[in-house]
Amino acid sequence: MDNQKSNGGNASNIGSEGSGSSMGKDLGAGRNDGNKGSDLSKSAADMHKTIDKAADAAQPVVDRLASSAHAGVDKVSGALNGVTGRMDEKARQLTDAYKNFAETGRDYVRTSPATSVLVALGIGYTLSKLLGRRN
């Protein structure tokens, strides 16, 4: 019993240490019940402000990306227009070469028909031998 402290005959101090600290917390929690709605609305307003700031900060980045994308599309479109123009020019050149070759061939057949027939027979015979060997 030497290790026990005396409370000086005051029974009101029994258990006051544990219950007093929890009672204060409970009372404090009870007072915040009325402020929870205003705390939530303040938090929501803060979140809205943060979202607006992030959106405002992201807008220049989005604008730069959009302008870069537009520039890329313009560049590709210009390159395709150039390729299309070159392809049209090559198609015209090929058509002109074909017309020239056909006209030259007609003139050759008109001036020397016997030679033309013999050349055609020789080419036909050679092609039939080459293609006939597949079987």
Side-chain angles (χ1 to χ4, degrees):
M1 294 242 166
D2 293 331
N3 292 341
Q4 293 181 357
K5 291 185 180 178
S6 158
N7 62 5
N10 196 355
S12 65
N13 290 338
I14 295 175
S16 66
E17 183 178 334
S19 65
S21 62
S22 68
M23 284 176 51
K25 290 178 185 175
D26 290 342
L27 289 176
R31 277 186 244 140
N32 286 339
D33 285 345
N35 294 333
K36 281 185 181 179
S38 65
D39 288 344
L40 288 176
S41 63
K42 183 179 177 186
S43 296
D46 289 343
M47 286 183 199
H48 284 292
K49 287 179 186 176
T50 304
I51 291 169
D52 290 340
K53 285 180 185 177
D56 291 341
Q59 190 62 39
V61 174
V62 171
D63 290 340
R64 279 194 305 250
L65 287 173
S67 64
S68 295
H70 286 295
V73 167
D74 292 342
K75 187 175 182 180
V76 168
S77 176
L80 289 177
N81 284 337
V83 168
T84 303
R86 286 192 297 268
M87 297 265 308
D88 288 342
E89 180 62 30
K90 292 296 180 183
R92 271 187 250 116
Q93 288 176 355
L94 185 61
T95 302
D96 291 342
Y98 172 75
K99 287 179 182 177
N100 188 19
F101 180 72
E103 189 63 36
T104 305
R106 279 190 210 107
D107 289 341
Y108 182 75
V109 169
R110 286 184 188 136
T111 57
S112 54
T115 307
S116 299
V117 169
L118 288 174
V119 169
L121 283 173
I123 291 173
Y125 179 76
T126 305
L127 284 175
S128 69
K129 289 298 180 184
L130 288 174
L131 298 176
R133 292 185 181 176
R134 286 188 191 181
N135 296 335

